[in-house]
Amino acid sequence: MEMGDKRMSDNNIDEVNEKKIKNSFKRDLLTILCIGQVLIILLIAVFMVIVDKNTEPIDVPLKDWKSDYITFHNNEWYADENLVPIPEGENDVFLLVGPYIDMTKGSYTVTVDYESTEEQCCYAATNTFIQSGLGRLVKGSNRASFRVNISESVGNFEVIVKYNGNGTLRIKNITIRGDHAKLGRLLVYVMLLFAALDIWFIFEDKIRKNKTVILSLIGTVVLSSLPLFTSDIGKGHDLYFHVMRIEALADSLMHGVFPNRVSTLWFDGYGYPASVYYGDILLYVPAIMRIIGFTVVTSYKIYILSINIGTALLGYFSFKRMFKNKYSAVMSTMVYSTATYRLVNVYIRSAVGEYTAMMFLPVIACGMYMIYTGDMSKKKEYFKSATVLAVGMSGLIGCHILSTEMVCFILAIVCIILFKKTFKLATLRVLGIAAAETILLSAYFVIPFLDYYKNVTVEINETMEKIPYIQYQGCSIAEYFAVFRDVFSQFSVHENRRLAATPGFILLLALIVGVVFLFYQKKHTGRKELAFYVSMSVISLFIASDMFPWDRLAARTSFGRLLAQVQFPWRYVTMGIMFSTLVFGYLFKKLTEKDFGTKTRYFQLGAAACVAIVSLAASMYFDGAYLDDIRFNDWVDGGDINPWSVGAGEYKLDNFSDNLSHKVSFSNMQTVKLLERDGSRMELYCEGIGIPGTVQVPIFNYKGYVVTDNSGNNYRIFDGENNTIKFELPPNFEGNITVDFKEPWYWRASEIISLAAFLILIGAGIIAYRTDVKEKKEAIVKSD
């Protein structure tokens, strides 16, 4: 017996040593691979910089361009209403064309230097091989650029400058230069390839072990992304506004501003604080893609794909923690990701904030589940539960305030229903910790938002004071069951009055089965859990309906008026989807846990196959309706986006007027000259006289702008005409004045607090993970 034990011990030691050697070799190999990958990535990045700095513009003399209306004189092309009559029935003419040269495959930037009193435009003539953006020659600027992608070498390359018959236009120079966009796209592809290889190398054993789950999640992402596999993008309801948000972030990054708060890309330089009121931390992903060289459409598609992947991953890990069954988690993730109303949010409404918020709802549900079902007397458990809830809520706040309001309302109902558990000291403690962590993680957004909400008068402030009557916008019961109807609203070619607001066939069926199950299985051990999920599903769909007393509450109570700011009751279908998914996951787990002997595995596979087939059918039906009815767009560059696309304009200053002059004006001054404009920064040379003078610049006076001279002296800002920035200078002032947006110190402090909280949580998470791994290893050793 002793000899046998000794042999077993020696074998175990040999196995451990062999495993250590293998792991050591794997670590060394991974280190070498990572070094090689970093060197390749740096090489491409350096080459991008070299291309940008050393690429000479293509020699295309301006005098060689052609026009049927005007002539080249004094080194410029000049046009006005008298020189260029617009033919009857036409809106504009091709004023200037050229250079008609051969162009090789690649990416190019066309830059036009000009002066214009009215907006004009220019672009490259497109064909199968040429993809061009739009250059907007706005009166508030003197330089416009747009990108051209050429997939094959072409001859007679043509750029067109159009004139609409209004105002004067001077074309001073046009340059064509190769840029780094092609290399930038290559860099992204290489980084994604390396990331995939590293993940496979590090987690090979786990990937092989969980290949069914991984393939299912990949299938889920594909099903929820089918409409992306087109060359263009559908013109969703809010697409213009959200794409403009991405462009504003990219523009701010290009000017060295982070985080963006008030971007002057809006309103052709006047500025708009969308980032203060609307969380956009995740939109930096497509913004960086734009800077790297991807088109507007491709960058936005990358964002949607990223959110679909994030929804699948966060959904799976959240549902797995709740149901403790990976197959139930996979199927729940599939039905959640492909729920009809979620797809409507993504592709029809283009509700970026709302469908991004849906990515965090499973995390919030998981956090609440852990709090209300776990042992909150254990320090490790309640900190973990609080952190999960805080991460979900922080993500929600950082992407959509209205969804945050809806979730808080639903969570209040949850806490009331579960009041026996809620009002225990342990539960209140963990909820308090979660709230504190959420505040710290979200301070970077919440502090500026509250500051503006309190101190800046914009249109949304007036909206909050009005009584919103929105009950007629609620869903009817019939609409919930109309799973095969046209998914569009008035924005489709059919111009239907309402869009599809159904959770979808599977979730409705799950809800019905859940009700039946509760009715017949009154002694079921998990009946209370299922009853809670069913009840919250019904409550959420009731709130989303036209039967909920929205108008009465809004008219009689301030709380009801606050709730009605959601604008559309059918937004609460999102909450119905979340709870219906929990009903589905619970039922799927219970049904597949039934002991059918040797047939159990086949029953599980059959149930999963049925769900997958129905999800596939629903996604294919949606994809078909989308392709049939949507109007497509092929935006290439920022000029293709209207900078006046502000949706309902909730963040416009009070008494806003769209009559914008784009001029620097002054009174009681000898000279005021614009020297430079770089994003939100404007530098002026000012020369005064013997009395105080005033200067007004074409930037809206949002809080945060400062006016300084070269000595660092600040000058008071007050509202000028149409809420623009106006400031007063002392008598006989002479020198440069800088107008720029500077975040208040407490904004910067809030950003540091959130960053510190994030890093601390990351560090705590790593320590907790290593501790868990160590404890598991020690437990295995003890069991051996």
Side-chain angles (χ1 to χ4, degrees):
M1 290 293 294
E2 292 180 359
M3 290 294 293
D5 290 341
K6 187 174 184 305
R7 283 196 208 95
M8 290 179 65
S9 177
D10 291 340
N11 289 336
N12 289 336
I13 292 173
D14 290 340
E15 288 178 5
V16 170
N17 289 334
E18 184 179 351
K19 190 173 182 180
K20 286 183 178 179
I21 294 172
K22 184 180 178 180
N23 289 338
S24 177
F25 174 75
K26 195 172 183 178
R27 283 195 300 270
D28 292 341
L29 182 58
L30 179 62
T31 302
I32 295 172
L33 289 175
C34 288
I35 292 173
Q37 291 171 3
V38 170
L39 290 176
I40 293 173
I41 290 171
L42 287 176
L43 183 63
I44 297 175
V46 169
F47 196 50
M48 285 172 59
V49 175
I50 293 174
V51 167
D52 273 351
K53 287 188 175 181
N54 299 327
T55 301
E56 295 293 331
I58 298 172
D59 186 18
V60 285
L62 189 62
K63 63 182 178 63
D64 293 342
W65 290 57
K66 298 176 175 59
S67 177
D68 293 334
Y69 302 93
I70 56 178
T71 59
F72 185 74
H73 183 65
N74 290 336
N75 294 320
E76 68 179 17
W77 294 88
Y78 172 80
D80 60 31
E81 297 97 327
N82 297 323
L83 292 174
V84 188
I86 304 298
E88 187 176 349
E90 300 291 334
N91 296 321
D92 47 42
V93 296
F94 287 7
L95 177 69
L96 190 64
V97 294
Y100 298 113
I101 58 175
D102 295 337
M103 298 285 284
T104 58
K105 178 180 178 180
S107 180
Y108 300 86
T109 297
V110 179
T111 302
V112 181
D113 294 308
Y114 69 95
E115 289 181 7
S116 182
T117 59
E118 297 293 335
E119 181 172 329
Q120 314 296 342
C121 71
C122 58
Y123 54 88
T126 59
N127 58 37
T128 305
F129 305 119
I130 299 177
Q131 189 183 40
S132 172
L134 179 71
R136 297 178 60 248
L137 311 182
V138 298
K139 57 185 178 181
S141 180
N142 55 19
R143 173 169 288 186
S145 297
F146 61 93
R147 182 164 285 156
V148 180
N149 296 318
I150 302 178
S151 58
E152 296 291 342
S153 296
V154 296
N156 291 323
F157 176 71
E158 180 184 38
V159 173
I160 301 165
V161 177
K162 297 180 75 173
Y163 178 72
N164 62 19
N166 298 313
T168 62
L169 173 63
R170 299 176 186 272
I171 303 297
K172 296 179 173 295
N173 193 27
I174 301 177
T175 59
I176 303 173
R177 183 192 298 266
D179 59 33
H180 68 251
K182 186 177 179 181
L183 284 172
R185 294 191 291 268
L186 175 63
L187 178 64
V188 173
Y189 300 145
V190 169
M191 291 177 67
L192 290 175
L193 175 62
F194 286 166
L197 291 175
D198 291 342
I199 290 172
W200 171 264
F201 190 83
I202 297 171
F203 302 105
E204 180 182 357
D205 293 338
K206 291 185 177 180
I207 291 173
R208 291 183 185 278
K209 183 179 179 180
N210 297 284
K211 60 183 178 182
T212 302
V213 170
I214 294 172
L215 289 174
S216 299
L217 292 177
I218 292 173
T220 296
V221 172
V222 171
L223 287 181
S224 60
S225 304
L226 289 179
L228 297 180
F229 300 108
T230 61
S231 58
D232 305 327
I233 192 72
K235 294 182 180 179
H237 299 184
D238 299 334
L239 182 64
Y240 292 87
F241 171 61
H242 293 301
V243 170
M244 186 60 199
R245 290 173 63 204
I246 295 170
E247 290 299 306
L249 293 180
D251 181 72
S252 294
L253 287 175
M254 291 292 288
H255 288 103
V257 177
F258 178 83
N260 175 63
R261 297 299 186 183
V262 179
S263 172
T264 51
L265 194 65
W266 299 90
F267 295 117
D268 291 327
Y270 275 74
Y272 194 61
S275 295
V276 174
Y277 290 96
Y278 213 129
D280 53 16
I281 189 68
L282 295 181
L283 287 182
Y284 278 99
V285 172
I288 292 172
M289 294 300 104
R290 287 286 296 122
I291 294 172
I292 286 174
F294 287 92
T295 67
V296 171
V297 167
T298 302
S299 299
Y300 181 66
K301 285 185 175 182
I302 289 172
Y303 181 74
I304 294 178
L305 182 61
S306 300
I307 296 301
N308 286 342
I309 293 173
T311 300
L313 292 177
L314 292 180
Y316 171 74
F317 288 112
S318 299
F319 295 140
K320 184 182 178 183
R321 178 62 186 253
M322 296 176 71
F323 301 129
K324 298 175 178 59
N325 182 302
K326 63 181 181 181
Y327 298 111
S328 181
V330 166
M331 292 296 103
S332 298
T333 302
M334 183 175 292
V335 298
Y336 181 75
S337 297
T338 60
T340 300
Y341 180 70
R342 180 182 178 275
L343 297 180
V344 167
N345 269 342
V346 177
Y347 300 106
I348 309 304
R349 296 186 59 224
S350 295
V352 169
E354 199 164 334
Y355 70 69
T356 303
M358 291 188 75
M359 180 173 68
F360 295 102
L361 294 186
V363 181
I364 296 171
C366 180
M368 291 295 287
Y369 178 87
M370 293 168 66
I371 292 171
Y372 278 86
T373 62
D375 184 359
M376 294 301 102
S377 63
K378 297 180 179 178
K379 184 176 180 180
K380 182 178 178 181
E381 285 300 314
Y382 71 70
F383 267 113
K384 185 183 294 185
S385 302
T387 300
V388 171
L389 180 58
V391 168
M393 290 300 299
S394 302
L396 195 69
I397 293 170
C399 61
H400 200 225
I401 287 295
L402 283 180
S403 290
T404 303
E405 177 188 323
M406 292 190 294
V407 167
C408 288
F409 181 41
I410 293 297
L411 290 184
I413 295 174
V414 169
C415 291
I416 292 171
I417 292 176
L418 304 176
F419 70 94
K420 289 184 178 180
K421 179 74 173 179
T422 300
F423 295 104
K424 288 184 176 181
L425 180 60
T427 305
L428 292 175
R429 177 180 58 188
V430 72
L431 289 175
I433 293 172
E437 289 181 352
T438 300
I439 291 171
L440 293 175
L441 288 171
S442 305
Y444 76 95
F445 172 75
V446 173
I447 297 300
F449 174 83
L450 293 177
D451 188 17
Y452 257 46
Y453 185 78
K454 181 180 179 181
N455 298 309
V456 180
T457 303
V458 294
E459 292 190 11
I460 195 172
N461 297 88
E462 293 186 1
T463 303
M464 291 290 291
E465 299 302 320
K466 296 177 181 178
I467 299 176
Y469 294 102
I470 65 172
Q471 192 161 342
Y472 74 99
Q473 295 277 12
C475 294
S476 65
I477 299 300
E479 286 180 277
Y480 290 144
F481 291 89
V483 296
F484 300 112
R485 62 161 295 182
D486 177 25
V487 296
F488 289 87
S489 64
Q490 68 270 21
F491 288 84
S492 78
V493 295
H494 300 305
E495 298 185 352
N496 297 327
R497 187 174 68 89
R498 302 286 284 261
L499 51 73
T502 174
F505 178 78
I506 295 179
L507 293 179
L508 287 173
L509 181 61
L511 187 55
I512 294 170
V513 172
V515 172
V516 174
F517 191 86
L518 288 173
F519 184 78
Y520 284 102
Q521 298 289 330
K522 295 184 178 181
K523 295 184 179 181
H524 177 58
T525 53
R527 191 173 188 274
K528 287 185 178 180
E529 181 181 343
L530 179 59
F532 172 75
Y533 295 151
V534 170
S535 299
M536 288 306 303
S537 300
V538 173
I539 290 172
S540 299
L541 294 177
F542 171 65
I543 294 172
S545 74
D546 55 8
M547 295 184 294
F548 187 77
W550 286 101
D551 292 350
R552 184 176 299 176
L553 288 173
R556 296 185 179 182
T557 66
S558 57
F559 177 70
R561 188 164 63 249
L562 175 64
L563 286 181
Q565 298 303 320
V566 74
Q567 295 176 312
F568 309 107
W570 39 256
R571 290 185 193 266
Y572 276 91
V573 173
T574 298
M575 307 301 156
I577 288 174
M578 184 68 256
F579 286 107
S580 297
T581 301
L582 298 181
V583 173
F584 168 86
Y586 180 89
L587 292 174
F588 191 90
K589 173 186 175 182
K590 290 301 178 183
L591 289 173
T592 55
E593 282 182 347
K594 291 283 185 181
D595 185 9
F596 295 104
T598 57
K599 296 181 180 180
T600 300
R601 180 62 175 165
Y602 296 106
F603 180 81
Q604 292 175 337
L605 292 174
C610 289
V611 172
I613 290 171
V614 176
S615 296
L616 174 62
S619 297
M620 291 172 64
Y621 173 79
F622 180 89
D623 187 47
Y626 175 84
L627 294 177
D628 275 349
D629 297 341
I630 198 73
R631 296 181 175 94
F632 282 97
N633 203 307
D634 59 351
W635 293 321
V636 175
D637 212 352
D640 298 327
I641 314 300
N642 185 353
W644 292 63
S645 300
V646 292
E650 296 96 333
Y651 319 133
K652 292 178 182 176
L653 288 168
D654 196 24
N655 299 319
F656 172 88
S657 170
D658 59 4
N659 184 22
L660 306 179
S661 67
H662 294 88
K663 294 180 180 179
V664 175
S665 60
F666 55 90
S667 63
N668 299 325
M669 298 290 295
Q670 181 71 31
T671 303
V672 174
K673 183 179 180 181
L674 177 62
L675 299 178
E676 182 185 7
R677 177 143 197 193
D678 183 23
S680 63
R681 181 180 177 276
M682 179 181 289
E683 187 171 355
L684 308 162
Y685 171 75
C686 302
E687 183 178 344
I689 56 178
I691 60 175
T694 59
V695 181
Q696 182 171 289
V697 295
I699 301 176
F700 286 133
N701 186 20
Y702 287 103
K703 182 177 180 178
Y705 279 99
V706 294
V707 175
T708 57
D709 60 22
N710 288 343
S711 300
N713 299 313
N714 289 332
Y715 297 89
R716 187 174 67 89
I717 294 175
F718 48 96
D719 286 339
E721 183 181 350
N722 197 10
N723 297 301
T724 55
I725 290 176
K726 189 175 184 179
F727 57 92
E728 185 178 82
L729 295 176
N732 298 316
F733 177 89
E734 183 178 357
N736 289 358
I737 287 289
T738 300
V739 181
D740 200 0
F741 186 88
K742 300 291 184 182
E743 291 191 12
W745 66 267
Y746 49 91
W747 288 22
R748 287 298 186 191
S750 68
E751 293 161 8
I752 294 172
I753 290 171
S754 291
L755 178 60
F758 176 75
L759 294 177
I760 290 171
L761 285 183
I762 291 293
I766 293 173
I767 293 173
Y769 174 77
R770 289 181 174 178
T771 302
D772 287 342
V773 172
K774 184 178 179 180
E775 289 177 353
K776 289 179 181 179
K777 287 182 178 179
E778 290 175 352
I780 292 173
V781 171
K782 288 181 180 179
S783 64
D784 292 339

